[in-house]
Amino acid sequence: MFHSTAIVTCLAIAFYFFTSIKVAKARVAFGVKVPAIVGNPDFERVFRVQMNTLEWMPIFLPSLWLFAIYISDPLAAALGVVWIAGRILYMIGYSEAAAKRGRGFATQAGAAMLLWLGALGAIAWRLIHA
């Protein structure tokens, strides 16, 4: 069973839901009417956090699960927690200024790449040694 990875998956989805709520609140606070996504830099940064998180989820989630299946559930979950922490750092930094998003971005990108490379390597290893 992959309980740890499942919990981290739920946490990642909860974080994305949280960013969606922040966008809805920012629309009201900054007067950005649907369907507009530009016009207020403070709103745009909140919106980009949500969109960037969405852009990374198709990279992160399959990599997380493939890593859990082919390598280790606890290790996948640990790297998943690092990814979520990176997304939180990204959100905090970006909410202050676009230039402050780098540390969080690098953290989450590194975790996602480790998951993907680990999964790819483990799959290739099994194919070669099958």
Side-chain angles (χ1 to χ4, degrees):
M1 299 302 294
F2 301 97
H3 299 301
S4 299
T5 300
I7 290 169
V8 170
T9 299
C10 289
L11 291 174
I13 293 167
F15 176 75
Y16 180 71
F17 185 70
F18 173 74
T19 65
S20 300
I21 292 169
K22 285 187 63 85
V23 169
K25 288 181 177 181
R27 281 192 180 282
V28 173
F30 301 116
V32 178
K33 306 267 188 247
V34 173
I37 57 171
V38 296
N40 181 296
D42 294 325
F43 169 78
E44 290 171 19
R45 287 194 308 273
V46 173
F47 180 76
R48 281 304 307 149
V49 168
Q50 181 202 22
M51 287 296 96
N52 189 263
T53 302
L54 179 62
E55 292 160 4
W56 273 90
M57 287 184 82
I59 297 166
F60 167 67
L61 288 174
S63 299
L64 175 73
W65 278 95
L66 289 168
F67 190 103
I69 292 165
Y70 284 91
I71 296 178
S72 164
D73 175 49
L75 187 53
L79 287 168
V81 169
V82 171
W83 185 84
I84 294 168
R87 294 310 311 169
I88 292 168
L89 288 172
Y90 180 84
M91 179 183 66
I92 292 167
Y94 211 165
S95 68
E96 293 178 19
K100 293 185 177 184
R101 70 191 192 282
R103 183 173 54 134
F105 185 86
T107 301
Q108 65 88 39
M113 290 303 104
L114 285 173
L115 288 165
W116 181 76
L117 288 170
L120 181 63
I123 293 165
W125 178 266
R126 288 192 186 187
L127 284 171
I128 292 167
H129 295 91

Coordinates of all heavy atoms in Angstrom, one line a residue, residues 2 5 60-79 111-120 122-123 126:
F2 N 0.3 2.3 -0.5 CA 1.1 3.6 -0.7 C 0.4 4.7 0.1 O 0.1 5.7 -0.4 CB 1.1 3.9 -2.2 CG 1.8 2.9 -3.0 CD1 1.1 1.9 -3.7 CD2 3.2 2.8 -3.0 CE1 1.7 0.9 -4.4 CE2 3.8 1.8 -3.8 CZ 3.1 0.9 -4.5
T5 N 2.3 8.2 0.3 CA 2.1 9.0 -1.0 C 0.7 9.4 -1.2 O 0.5 10.6 -1.7 CB 2.6 8.1 -2.2 OG1 3.9 7.7 -2.0 CG2 2.4 8.8 -3.5
F60 N 4.5 16.8 -11.3 CA 4.8 16.3 -9.9 C 4.0 15.0 -9.6 O 4.6 14.1 -9.1 CB 4.4 17.4 -8.9 CG 4.3 17.0 -7.5 CD1 5.4 16.5 -6.8 CD2 3.0 16.9 -6.9 CE1 5.3 16.1 -5.5 CE2 2.9 16.5 -5.6 CZ 4.0 16.1 -4.9
L61 N 2.7 15.0 -9.8 CA 1.8 13.9 -9.4 C 2.2 12.6 -10.0 O 2.4 11.6 -9.3 CB 0.4 14.2 -9.5 CG -0.2 15.3 -8.5 CD1 -1.6 15.7 -8.8 CD2 0.0 14.8 -7.1
P62 N 2.3 12.5 -11.3 CA 2.7 11.2 -11.9 C 4.1 10.8 -11.4 O 4.3 9.6 -11.2 CB 2.7 11.4 -13.4 CG 1.8 12.6 -13.6 CD 2.0 13.4 -12.4
S63 N 5.0 11.7 -11.4 CA 6.4 11.4 -10.9 C 6.4 10.9 -9.5 O 7.1 9.9 -9.1 CB 7.3 12.6 -11.0 OG 7.4 13.1 -12.4
L64 N 5.6 11.5 -8.6 CA 5.4 11.1 -7.2 C 5.0 9.7 -7.1 O 5.6 8.8 -6.4 CB 4.4 12.0 -6.5 CG 4.0 11.7 -5.1 CD1 5.2 12.0 -4.1 CD2 2.8 12.4 -4.7
W65 N 3.9 9.3 -7.9 CA 3.4 8.0 -7.8 C 4.3 6.9 -8.5 O 4.4 5.8 -7.9 CB 1.9 8.0 -8.4 CG 1.0 8.5 -7.4 CD1 0.5 9.7 -7.2 CD2 0.5 7.7 -6.3 NE1 -0.3 9.8 -6.1 CE2 -0.4 8.5 -5.5 CE3 0.6 6.3 -6.0 CZ2 -1.0 8.1 -4.4 CZ3 -0.1 5.9 -4.8 CH2 -0.9 6.8 -4.1
L66 N 4.9 7.3 -9.6 CA 5.8 6.3 -10.2 C 7.0 6.0 -9.3 O 7.4 4.9 -9.2 CB 6.2 6.8 -11.6 CG 5.1 6.8 -12.6 CD1 5.6 7.6 -13.9 CD2 4.7 5.4 -13.0
F67 N 7.5 7.1 -8.7 CA 8.6 6.9 -7.7 C 8.2 6.0 -6.6 O 8.9 5.1 -6.2 CB 9.0 8.3 -7.2 CG 10.3 8.3 -6.4 CD1 11.5 8.7 -7.0 CD2 10.3 7.9 -5.1 CE1 12.7 8.7 -6.3 CE2 11.5 7.9 -4.4 CZ 12.7 8.3 -4.9
A68 N 7.0 6.3 -6.0 CA 6.5 5.4 -4.9 C 6.3 4.0 -5.3 O 6.7 3.1 -4.6 CB 5.1 6.0 -4.4
I69 N 5.8 3.7 -6.5 CA 5.6 2.4 -7.0 C 6.9 1.7 -7.3 O 7.1 0.5 -6.9 CB 4.7 2.4 -8.3 CG1 3.3 2.8 -7.9 CG2 4.7 1.0 -9.0 CD1 2.5 3.2 -9.1
Y70 N 7.9 2.4 -8.0 CA 9.1 1.7 -8.4 C 10.3 1.8 -7.4 O 11.2 1.0 -7.5 CB 9.5 2.3 -9.8 CG 8.7 1.7 -10.9 CD1 7.5 2.3 -11.3 CD2 9.0 0.5 -11.5 CE1 6.7 1.8 -12.3 CE2 8.2 0.0 -12.5 CZ 7.1 0.6 -12.9 OH 6.3 0.1 -13.9
I71 N 10.2 2.8 -6.5 CA 11.3 2.9 -5.6 C 10.9 2.8 -4.1 O 11.3 1.8 -3.4 CB 12.1 4.3 -5.8 CG1 12.7 4.3 -7.2 CG2 13.1 4.5 -4.7 CD1 13.4 5.6 -7.6
S72 N 10.1 3.8 -3.6 CA 9.8 3.7 -2.2 C 8.6 4.7 -1.9 O 8.7 5.9 -2.2 CB 11.0 4.2 -1.4 OG 10.7 4.5 -0.1
D73 N 7.6 4.2 -1.2 CA 6.5 5.0 -0.7 C 7.0 6.1 0.2 O 6.7 7.3 0.0 CB 5.4 4.2 -0.2 CG 4.3 5.0 0.4 OD1 3.8 5.9 -0.2 OD2 3.9 4.6 1.6
P74 N 7.7 5.8 1.3 CA 8.1 6.8 2.3 C 9.1 7.8 1.7 O 8.9 9.0 2.0 CB 8.8 6.0 3.4 CG 8.4 4.6 3.2 CD 8.1 4.4 1.8
L75 N 10.0 7.4 0.8 CA 10.9 8.4 0.2 C 10.1 9.3 -0.8 O 10.4 10.5 -0.9 CB 12.0 7.7 -0.5 CG 13.2 8.5 -1.1 CD1 13.7 9.4 0.0 CD2 14.3 7.6 -1.7
A76 N 9.2 8.7 -1.6 CA 8.4 9.5 -2.4 C 7.6 10.6 -1.6 O 7.5 11.7 -2.0 CB 7.4 8.7 -3.2
A77 N 7.0 10.1 -0.5 CA 6.2 11.0 0.3 C 7.1 12.1 0.9 O 6.7 13.3 0.9 CB 5.6 10.3 1.4
A78 N 8.3 11.8 1.3 CA 9.3 12.8 1.8 C 9.6 13.9 0.7 O 9.6 15.1 1.0 CB 10.5 12.2 2.3
L79 N 9.9 13.4 -0.5 CA 10.1 14.3 -1.6 C 8.9 15.1 -1.9 O 9.0 16.3 -2.3 CB 10.7 13.6 -2.8 CG 12.1 13.1 -2.7 CD1 12.5 12.1 -3.8 CD2 13.1 14.3 -2.6
A111 N 12.7 19.0 -6.2 CA 12.0 17.8 -5.7 C 11.3 17.1 -6.8 O 11.3 15.8 -6.9 CB 11.0 18.2 -4.6
A112 N 10.6 17.8 -7.7 CA 9.9 17.2 -8.8 C 10.9 16.5 -9.8 O 10.6 15.4 -10.3 CB 9.1 18.2 -9.6
M113 N 12.0 17.1 -10.0 CA 13.0 16.5 -10.9 C 13.6 15.2 -10.3 O 13.8 14.2 -11.0 CB 14.1 17.5 -11.3 CG 13.6 18.6 -12.2 SD 12.9 18.0 -13.8 CE 11.1 18.2 -13.5
L114 N 13.8 15.2 -9.0 CA 14.3 14.0 -8.3 C 13.3 12.9 -8.4 O 13.7 11.7 -8.7 CB 14.7 14.3 -6.9 CG 15.9 15.1 -6.6 CD1 16.0 15.4 -5.1 CD2 17.2 14.2 -7.0
L115 N 12.0 13.2 -8.2 CA 11.0 12.2 -8.4 C 10.9 11.6 -9.8 O 10.9 10.4 -10.0 CB 9.6 12.8 -8.0 CG 9.4 13.1 -6.5 CD1 8.2 14.0 -6.3 CD2 9.3 11.8 -5.7
W116 N 11.0 12.5 -10.8 CA 10.9 12.1 -12.2 C 12.1 11.3 -12.6 O 12.0 10.2 -13.2 CB 10.7 13.3 -13.1 CG 10.6 12.9 -14.5 CD1 9.5 12.4 -15.1 CD2 11.6 13.0 -15.5 NE1 9.8 12.2 -16.4 CE2 11.0 12.6 -16.7 CE3 12.9 13.5 -15.5 CZ2 11.8 12.5 -17.9 CZ3 13.6 13.5 -16.7 CH2 13.1 13.0 -17.9
L117 N 13.3 11.8 -12.3 CA 14.5 11.1 -12.7 C 14.6 9.7 -11.9 O 15.0 8.7 -12.5 CB 15.7 11.9 -12.4 CG 16.0 13.1 -13.3 CD1 17.1 14.0 -12.8 CD2 16.3 12.7 -14.7
G118 N 14.2 9.7 -10.7 CA 14.2 8.5 -9.9 C 13.3 7.4 -10.5 O 13.6 6.3 -10.7
A119 N 12.1 7.9 -10.8 CA 11.1 7.0 -11.4 C 11.6 6.5 -12.8 O 11.5 5.3 -13.1 CB 9.7 7.7 -11.6
L120 N 12.0 7.4 -13.6 CA 12.5 7.0 -14.9 C 13.7 6.0 -14.8 O 13.7 5.0 -15.5 CB 12.9 8.3 -15.7 CG 13.4 8.0 -17.2 CD1 12.4 7.4 -18.0 CD2 14.0 9.4 -17.7
A122 N 14.4 4.0 -12.3 CA 14.0 2.7 -11.8 C 13.2 1.9 -12.9 O 13.4 0.7 -13.0 CB 13.1 2.9 -10.6
I123 N 12.4 2.6 -13.7 CA 11.7 1.9 -14.7 C 12.6 1.4 -15.8 O 12.5 0.2 -16.2 CB 10.6 2.9 -15.4 CG1 9.5 3.2 -14.3 CG2 10.0 2.2 -16.6 CD1 8.6 4.4 -14.7
R126 N 14.5 -1.7 -14.4 CA 13.7 -2.9 -14.5 C 13.5 -3.4 -15.9 O 13.5 -4.6 -16.1 CB 12.3 -2.6 -13.8 CG 12.5 -2.5 -12.3 CD 11.2 -2.5 -11.6 NE 11.3 -2.3 -10.2 CZ 10.3 -2.4 -9.3 NH1 9.1 -2.7 -9.7 NH2 10.5 -2.1 -8.1

